[in-house]
Amino acid sequence: MFGIPGKQAVTITDRAAAQIAKLMAKDGHQGLRIGVKKGGCAGMEYTMDYVDEVNPLDEVVEQNGARVMIAPMAQMFLFGTEIDYEVSLLESGFKFKNPNVVDACGCGESIKFDESLTKSD
């Protein structure tokens, strides 16, 4: 993991932890795996999937009954991210406050990272 010893890769707000724990309990999932994939108008998109089995290569973050796994290929993109859960009149969902994002599309669904993170030598 691209981390700092003693510091979690991502932080989870109390609202997000409560929602993740609720989703885990609903169908007996082990947690949520977070990743990134190519797509969207800005170049990358976040992914979230239920997890029934923990991958030993995942970075695992646990907080207040919630468990989030970070897929290996996404770890460098998500380090330092705060995961929140917001509810408004029109929508509700997880929001990512990611210091590694340099641009996002107008709808907020697609993101762009610094070129140094996305280049593969």
Side-chain angles (χ1 to χ4, degrees):
M1 176 66 192
F2 298 86
I4 298 171
K7 181 175 172 151
Q8 292 191 97
V10 299
T11 56
I12 306 168
T13 66
D14 290 340
R15 287 185 304 259
Q19 184 65 21
I20 292 167
K22 181 178 169 183
L23 292 171
M24 287 171 55
K26 182 179 176 187
D27 292 318
H29 298 293
Q30 294 294 309
L32 291 177
R33 180 173 292 118
I34 299 171
V36 293
K37 68 176 183 175
K38 290 186 179 205
C41 51
M44 302 284 278
E45 298 174 317
Y46 293 111
T47 62
M48 293 185 83
D49 298 298
Y50 291 113
V51 175
D52 292 322
E53 188 174 313
V54 179
N55 179 334
L57 298 176
D58 286 344
E59 179 72 17
V60 179
V61 176
E62 295 183 275
Q63 183 178 320
N64 298 335
R67 184 180 299 121
V68 170
M69 285 68 112
I70 304 170
M73 295 303 290
Q75 292 173 5
M76 69 179 159
F77 297 108
L78 296 175
F79 184 74
T81 298
E82 177 188 75
I83 302 169
D84 195 9
Y85 187 78
E86 296 178 358
V87 177
S88 72
L89 283 172
L90 297 176
E91 65 181 0
S92 62
F94 291 100
K95 302 293 181 186
F96 296 85
K97 295 174 184 148
N98 187 334
N100 305 305
V101 170
V102 295
D103 198 11
C105 68
C107 68
E109 296 295 320
S110 181
I111 50 180
K112 181 178 180 183
F113 294 101
D114 185 297
E115 299 273 332
S116 65
L117 290 176
T118 57
K119 286 184 181 175
S120 58
D121 295 334

